[in-house]
Amino acid sequence: MTSSGMNTMGRIVFYEERNFQGRSYECMSDCPDVSSYLSRCQSCRVERGCFMVYERNNYMGNQYFMRRGEYADYMSMMGMSDSIKSCRMIPMHRGSFRMKIYERENFGGQMSELMDDCDNVMDRYRMSNCMSCHVSDGHWLMYEQPQYRGRMMYVRPGEYRNFMNMGSSGMRFMSMKRISDSCY
């Protein structure tokens, strides 16, 4: 395998119980239904790469960014109400970052283009909401509150016309951060 191929591979191990106990399931790619392998998932180790984990199957519900490390009891650390039900591997991106954010759904209202992190869209662009976006380059985390706080959502290249269709009901995004080499 080439060295560039190794950089794109991630590896996460899920455990049924806290503190890496009970049955485990190893995953090296996207998994829409962890519960088909484990009855529940309450701890994990990210051995390589970065992942988004989701509270519901098929990449829905609250989501959390996980980089390399051990998460012995992430339910209490992150306030998860249940256990992980799905995960998505985030491939490493080297190159430019570009995203257009829109004030309203379906690319309506004011539009602004980002090429770097934005800690507060209201201060920087005078936008009160971000309800849709188009990601041209890179992988991003969008946060519900300024200063990269609150619930988050992972977006990769593509069009996002309505965040509510992605299980983010009632959320508006107020800050955005690039998932860059420093995250790995």
Side-chain angles (χ1 to χ4, degrees), residues 12 14 29-35 41 44 50-66 74 78 80-90 139-141 152-156 160 166-168 179:
I12 187 169
F14 297 106
S29 62
D30 296 355
C31 181
D33 186 7
V34 172
S35 62
C41 177
C44 71
C50 295
F51 287 82
M52 288 305 289
V53 296
Y54 301 80
E55 282 187 316
R56 296 189 356 228
N57 292 344
N58 298 312
Y59 321 112
M60 300 293 281
N62 288 331
Q63 41 189 291
Y64 302 90
F65 177 73
M66 299 191 141
Y74 53 73
M78 298 181 187
M80 290 184 79
S81 60
D82 197 358
S83 67
I84 290 174
K85 302 288 189 199
S86 57
C87 75
R88 191 178 295 279
M89 187 190 77
I90 302 172
H139 299 261
W140 299 74
L141 291 175
M152 66 180 74
M153 183 174 77
Y154 164 59
V155 292
R156 56 189 178 178
Y160 300 87
M166 301 175 64
S168 299
I179 304 174

Side-chain angles (χ1 to χ4, degrees), residues 36-55:
S36 61
Y37 302 99
L38 299 173
S39 61
R40 67 178 171 230
C41 177
Q42 296 187 341
S43 61
C44 71
R45 281 189 176 102
V46 178
E47 295 178 355
R48 285 193 309 266
C50 295
F51 287 82
M52 288 305 289
V53 296
Y54 301 80
E55 282 187 316

